[in-house]
Structures are given as C-alpha cells and as structure tokens.
C-alpha cells in the first residue's frame, strides 16, 4: 500500500511534467521566430546612420573645394605603400631677393621637381602673360614659399611636377585652379609631361575625394585598363603631353574673378552667378576622352 501511495505522486509528477514540455516547445518556437525576424534585412537611411555614429568627420569633396579658394593652390595625387593619396601644393610669395623655400618634409627627388618647374616658368614668363616687372620680381625681389601640407608625412617621387607648375602659374597669374581637378605627372625643362607610376591608386584616391576629373600623362593611357569599371564610369580624364595643356585645363578662365569663383567653394556642384546674373562656368568643358578603354 505504501508502495502504491508512494508511486502515485510520481505518476502525478509525470503528468505535471507534460505541460512543461509543451511550454518549452512554445518558447523554442518563439525563439526561432525572433531569430528569423533578426535575420531579416533592415534598411538604414543616412539620418539613421548619423544618429548612431554621429555626423560625418570628413566630407572629401567639400574639403577639397574649401582648400582651393585662392591662387597658388593645386591638387596633386600620390601613390604610397598604403594606396593612393591626394596631395595639395600651396605656393605663396613675399618680398625678398628671389629665394625659394620648400617645406612639408619633401625629399630630394621632389625638390628637383620644384627646381624644374621654376626654371620652366622663368623661361616662359612672356608666354604665361606675366609682365616684365612681374618677371623681374620673380627673379630678383620676390621670395617664393612652396609648401606641401601634412609635414609629418615624408613625400618623394617624380610625379608632382605638373602640380607644382600649375600652383606656381596660378599664383603668378592670379588665376584660381579648378577645385574639381586633380593631376599627376612629371615635367621636363622643355615642358614635356612624362609618364608616372601608380595610376590606379592615384585615380582611385581622386575618386574617393569626390574629384571627377584627372589630368594624366598621355603615355599613361594604357594604365586606365587597370581601373575598376565603377571608377572608370564616373571619371573624366584628360591626357596631356605638354605642361601648357595642363595649365589650360586646370586654371579657371582669366575672365572669372576670384570673388566670382569663391561661390564654388561649397563643392555642391552649382555655378556661382555674377552681379548681372550670368553663370560663371568654373568647370569649363574639357576635350572628351573615352573612359571605356578596351
């Protein structure tokens, strides 16, 4: 009798356990449903991302436009072991005795690019439209300071010649450099533009910075085959063989004043208007260069 009585609770305990199993099944189903819902894609807007991560720290296109706001500044491109980078060149002149100062942690090869650019400009002051007095000032009574920002980063290599020449020409002629153009290439004393390396990395760096027009040496056309198709589709290239072509393509037209051009510094792609409502074509058309290289 005692055995039967003792067994009854055990049986009852088994009955009580049955609903428990059913409850566990419901929990498992709910967990599976939750996992399925969690796996479903969630669409996030830009506003959602900014709420989570905060506002953008860098706005490359606007940063470029804001930095090129006066004559004497040009945007070059460099290739490093970590990939491509944009490279600003800034030039300023002060009263002096014709000295040239270079800062920005530049090495010997790049210093030679500076010297070649200066010699070409001195040999072509008449062609550049510089008055005789300006020429004498350049040679005798003006010091030039050529600066490569971010001095903590060493800079070297034979590919900044066209950028240095463009920045110098911009300063001496008072014409702004277009803020939607980047460039790379070396020059000779005769003004020829020589091919350089790292084209893929440099163009990708320009694309990443929001710049959509790149001036390249003619002999580097073959290197465009290495670019990702997405980059090719969104970029415009001008292939140049002479530094005069670079200057014509890179500088804002002479009839556009610095005040008129300042409206482009926002980098929003809009063209500023003059007092009479005329739109100023800062991004003057470049000769068409096919981007779909076979």
């Amino acid at each position: 009798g005692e055995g039967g009585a003792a067994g009854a609770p055990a049986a009852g305990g088994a009955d009580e356990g049955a609903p428990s199993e059913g409850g566990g099944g419901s929990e498992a189903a709910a967990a599976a449903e939750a996992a399925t819902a969690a796996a479903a894609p969630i669409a996030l807007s830009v506003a959602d991302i900014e709420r989570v991560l905060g506002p953008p720290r860098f706005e490359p296109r606007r940063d470029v436009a804001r930095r090129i706001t006066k004559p004497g500044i040009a945007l070059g491109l460099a290739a490093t072991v970590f990939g491509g980078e944009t490279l600003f060149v800034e030039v300023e002149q002060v009263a002096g005795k014709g000295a040239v100062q270079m800062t920005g942690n530049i090495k010997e090869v790049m210093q030679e690019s500076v010297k070649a650019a200066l010699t070409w400009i001195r040999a072509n002051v008449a062609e550049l439209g510089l008055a005789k007095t300006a020429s004498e000032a350049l040679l005798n009574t003006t010091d030039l300071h050529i600066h490569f920002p971010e001095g903590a980063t060493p800079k070297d290599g034979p590919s900044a010649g066209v950028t240095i020449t463009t920045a110098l020409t911009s300063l001496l002629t008072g014409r702004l450099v277009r803020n939607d153009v980047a460039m790379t290439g070396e020059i000779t004393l005769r003004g020829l533009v020589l091919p350089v390396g790292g084209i893929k990395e440099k163009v990708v760096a320009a694309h990443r910075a929001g710049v959509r027009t790149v001036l390249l040496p003619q002999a580097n056309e073959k290197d465009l085959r290495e670019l990702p198709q997405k980059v090719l589709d969104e970029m415009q290239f001008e292939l140049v063989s002479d530094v005069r072509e670079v200057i014509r393509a890179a500088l804002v037209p002479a009839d556009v004043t610095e005040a008129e051009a300042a409206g482009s510094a926002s980098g929003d792609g809009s063209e500023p208007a003059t007092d009479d409502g005329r739109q100023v074509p800062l991004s003057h058309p470049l000769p068409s260069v096919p981007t779909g290289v076979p």
Side-chain angles (χ1 to χ4, degrees):
E2 289 178 3
D15 291 339
E16 291 173 1
S20 177
E21 290 179 6
S26 299
E27 292 175 2
E33 184 177 349
T36 302
I42 300 174
L44 294 177
S45 66
V46 174
D48 294 329
I49 295 173
E50 289 188 1
R51 266 198 304 274
V52 175
L53 301 179
R57 291 176 180 242
F58 304 101
E59 297 179 282
R61 178 69 194 99
R62 291 181 178 272
D63 289 342
V64 170
R66 288 167 182 157
R67 292 183 68 168
I68 305 180
T69 55
K70 61 178 293 186
I73 306 171
L75 179 63
L77 299 168
T80 72
V81 294
F82 304 107
E85 296 288 346
T86 55
L87 175 70
F88 284 91
V89 177
E90 300 178 352
V91 185
E92 192 56 274
Q93 58 183 344
V94 295
K97 299 180 180 179
V100 177
Q101 182 178 8
M102 293 174 278
T103 55
N105 200 358
I106 62 174
K107 304 304 181 183
E108 184 176 354
V109 176
M110 193 171 286
Q111 292 179 27
E112 293 181 355
S113 296
V114 171
K115 294 173 183 176
L118 283 168
T119 297
W120 184 85
I121 288 175
R122 285 172 169 149
N124 292 275
V125 287
E127 183 179 346
L128 294 172
L130 300 176
K132 183 178 180 181
T133 53
S135 171
E136 292 175 349
L138 171 64
L139 295 172
N140 303 321
T141 61
T142 297
D143 287 354
L144 292 174
H145 187 160
I146 303 171
H147 180 59
F148 298 80
E150 300 178 6
T153 305
K155 306 169 187 70
D156 202 8
S159 65
V162 295
T163 313
I164 296 167
T165 306
T166 300
L168 283 165
T169 304
S170 168
L171 176 72
L172 297 172
T173 60
R175 294 169 59 187
L176 281 168
V177 178
R178 289 173 49 183
N179 61 34
D180 60 346
V181 169
M183 62 198 75
T184 186
E186 192 51 274
I187 68 164
T188 70
L189 294 181
R190 296 293 183 182
L192 299 178
V193 178
L194 303 179
V196 294
I199 294 300
K200 177 182 177 181
E201 292 79 6
K202 292 175 180 179
V203 173
V204 169
H207 182 270
R208 186 171 62 244
V211 176
R212 292 297 181 262
T213 301
V214 177
L215 310 182
L216 298 174
Q218 178 76 48
N220 283 120
E221 180 179 11
K222 61 184 183 301
D223 297 303
L224 296 180
R225 297 184 178 92
E226 300 179 4
L227 290 170
Q229 191 59 47
K230 180 180 184 298
V231 175
L232 274 174
D233 292 342
E234 297 180 4
M235 298 295 289
Q236 181 180 5
F237 303 98
E238 181 167 0
L239 306 175
V240 296
S241 57
D242 191 281
V243 72
R244 296 167 181 83
E245 300 172 47
V246 177
I247 292 171
R248 281 195 297 269
L251 297 189
V252 169
D255 61 345
V256 178
T257 67
E258 187 174 337
E260 290 173 343
S264 69
S266 63
D268 58 6
S270 62
E271 295 180 341
T274 60
D275 292 339
D276 60 3
R278 177 174 59 90
Q279 292 298 315
V280 179
L282 291 183
S283 300
H284 54 289
L286 296 176
S288 176
V289 177
T291 56
V293 180

